[in-house]
Amino acid sequence: MASLLSERKETMRDIFGETLLQFSQEDEKVYIVDGDLANSTKIDIVAMENPQKFLQMGIAEQNMLSVCSGLAATGLQPWAVTFAAFLSKRAIDQIQVQIAQPNLNVKMVGGYSGLLTGLTGKTHQSLEDIAIFRSLANMTVLAPADSVEVKKMMEFAREYDGPVYIRLARDPYPIIFNEDYNFQIGKAVYLKEGTDLTIISTGTQTSRAIEAAELLQEEGLSIAVLHMPSIKPLDEAAVVKAAEKTGYIVTAEEHSIYGGLGSAVAEVLAENKPTPMQRIGVKDLNSESAPNEELLNKYGLSVSHMADVIRIALKK
C-alpha cells in the first residue's frame, strides 16, 4: 500500500517567507511586521528584497500588535509574525482589545508552535495558542499540515477581511497535498477512509495520524483520518458524520488537550452526537526542552503512542 505521505519534506516557514514576499510585492496594502525573529520565521527574505514593506518592531510584541491595529485601521493589511508563544501570550490584551473586538484586518502568524521548537527552550514552546485564539470573537484559527496548505491558507487570508491566526511549525514535514488542493475555510479534509475509528487531527499532528492509521491498517484495522485545518470555524457537520460512520473519535494535536481541537470536537459531539472519544495531546503538564523524538514520546504524541491509544480504544 502506497503511503499518503510523500517522501519529500518541506518546511512551512520557508514557503511562508517566499509567499509573504510575493504578497508584499503584488499588493500595496500588505506590510510585514516583525518581532525581531525574521531569521527564524524566514521573513528576512522580505527585509532583504522588499525592505520598504518590512517593519521591525524589536522584542516588543505588545507594541507590535498595537502598530498592526493602527495600520489596519488605515486600510492596510499587516502581517504580524513572531513565535506562537509570544504572539498568543505576551500580546493577548492588544489582540483582543485592538484587533479582535473592532474586527480589524490583521493577519497573525505564530511560528515555532507546539513542542518541536528546535531546542529553543520551554519558554519558546506554545501549547495554548489554539485555545487562546479560539476563545476570541471574530477570530479565525488555522493550522496547516504541510507547506502546500500553508500557501493555500495564506492566499485565503489575504482575501479575507478580518483577523486571522495561522499556526506554523519549525521543522520539515512530509507533503500531503497536491498543488491543486483547494483550501476552504470551515471545511475538513478526509485523507483516509475507515470504518473502525476516526482520527481527527490538525496541523503537524496530521502526518503522524496518517502514519498511525497506515501502521494499524497493516494489523487489519480500518482507521479514518479527518484533517481539520480550520479549527475556528470548525466543520461540525464533518465531525458528526465521522462519529456516525465509525462510532469512535480520537483527536490529535501538538497542543494541550485543553481548549484546542480536542475540546472543540468534544463540544460538537456533546451537543449533537454523543460518541466515545479520546484526546491525544499534551496532558496537564508543563513542557521542557529536548530533541524532537524524546518530546513526542514523553508527551504522548508519537506515532507509536497514537497507535497504542487506538488499539486500546478498539478493545473496549
Side-chain angles (χ1 to χ4, degrees):
M1 180 191 70
S3 174
L4 295 171
L5 299 174
S6 169
E7 293 183 1
R8 181 168 61 95
K9 294 184 177 182
E10 290 183 351
T11 61
M12 296 181 180
R13 54 184 178 152
D14 285 330
I15 299 300
F16 171 71
E18 294 167 7
T19 305
L20 206 52
L21 171 62
Q22 177 189 339
F23 287 2
S24 73
Q25 293 170 331
E26 294 175 348
D27 192 336
E28 63 181 10
K29 293 182 179 181
V30 170
Y31 279 79
I32 288 71
V33 187
D34 176 45
D36 199 35
L37 286 168
N39 182 60
S40 296
T41 59
K42 300 302 183 182
I43 59 171
D44 52 353
I45 189 174
V46 182
M48 291 183 288
E49 298 193 26
N50 196 14
Q52 67 271 25
K53 288 296 199 76
F54 183 86
L55 304 178
Q56 177 56 262
M57 296 293 107
I59 306 174
E61 292 83 6
Q62 294 172 331
N63 179 62
M64 179 175 77
L65 272 297
S66 292
V67 168
C68 288
S69 172
L71 292 171
T74 69
L76 299 176
Q77 186 185 91
W79 287 68
V81 186
T82 184
F83 287 180
F86 306 152
L87 189 62
S88 63
K89 288 175 275 191
R90 289 186 180 174
I92 188 60
D93 183 49
Q94 285 69 26
I95 292 171
Q96 162 69 353
V97 176
Q98 298 178 325
I99 295 173
Q101 284 188 3
N103 199 26
L104 292 179
N105 192 28
V106 179
K107 314 307 170 187
M108 291 155 281
V109 182
Y112 281 54
S113 68
L115 277 175
L116 310 186
T117 58
L119 297 174
T120 54
K122 61 185 179 182
T123 58
H124 290 52
Q125 294 166 331
S126 179
L127 301 174
E128 312 86 6
D129 55 308
I130 293 175
I132 291 169
F133 277 100
R134 182 174 160 255
S135 70
L136 302 181
N138 296 324
M139 189 64 64
T140 294
V141 181
L142 309 176
D146 69 0
S147 61
V148 173
E149 195 167 46
V150 169
K151 186 171 184 179
K152 301 293 185 176
M153 281 184 179
M154 292 177 70
E155 291 169 349
F156 156 78
R158 180 183 175 185
E159 299 301 321
Y160 177 78
D161 186 13
V164 176
Y165 173 64
I166 302 177
R167 183 182 211 248
L168 301 184
R170 175 188 183 276
D171 294 332
Y173 278 83
I175 301 299
I176 298 172
F177 298 104
N178 297 322
E179 292 297 331
D180 59 357
Y181 165 65
N182 180 30
F183 167 76
Q184 293 181 280
I185 183 68
K187 292 296 182 182
V189 183
Y190 258 108
L191 297 176
K192 184 178 182 298
E193 297 290 339
T195 56
D196 293 331
L197 180 148
T198 302
I199 305 173
I200 301 179
S201 59
T202 193
T204 54
Q205 201 64 19
T206 289
S207 59
R208 298 181 199 111
I210 292 171
E211 285 189 69
E214 292 178 346
L215 174 65
L216 292 168
Q217 184 165 327
E218 295 175 0
E219 301 174 14
L221 298 176
S222 179
I223 309 299
V225 179
L226 182 65
H227 173 52
M228 196 68 72
S230 174
I231 302 166
K232 184 183 179 185
L234 191 78
D235 192 342
E236 297 188 6
V239 171
V240 173
K241 182 179 178 181
E244 291 174 342
K245 184 173 182 179
T246 64
Y248 206 115
I249 301 295
V250 169
T251 59
E253 57 196 311
E254 194 181 324
H255 184 272
S256 169
I257 61 169
Y258 299 109
L261 174 69
S263 293
V265 169
E267 291 160 11
V268 172
L269 294 178
E271 293 177 355
N272 298 280
K273 181 69 176 176
T275 304
M277 72 170 290
Q278 298 254 3
R279 292 170 295 162
I280 293 176
V282 177
K283 305 299 191 294
D284 195 15
L285 297 167
N286 288 310
S287 58
E288 59 191 285
S289 184
N292 287 356
E293 289 305 315
E294 292 182 23
L295 287 171
L296 292 174
N297 286 324
K298 176 165 184 176
Y299 293 99
L301 299 177
S302 66
V303 172
S304 61
H305 176 82
M306 293 181 67
D308 286 342
V309 168
I310 292 169
R311 290 186 191 101
I312 292 170
L314 292 176
K315 286 180 180 178
K316 291 183 178 179

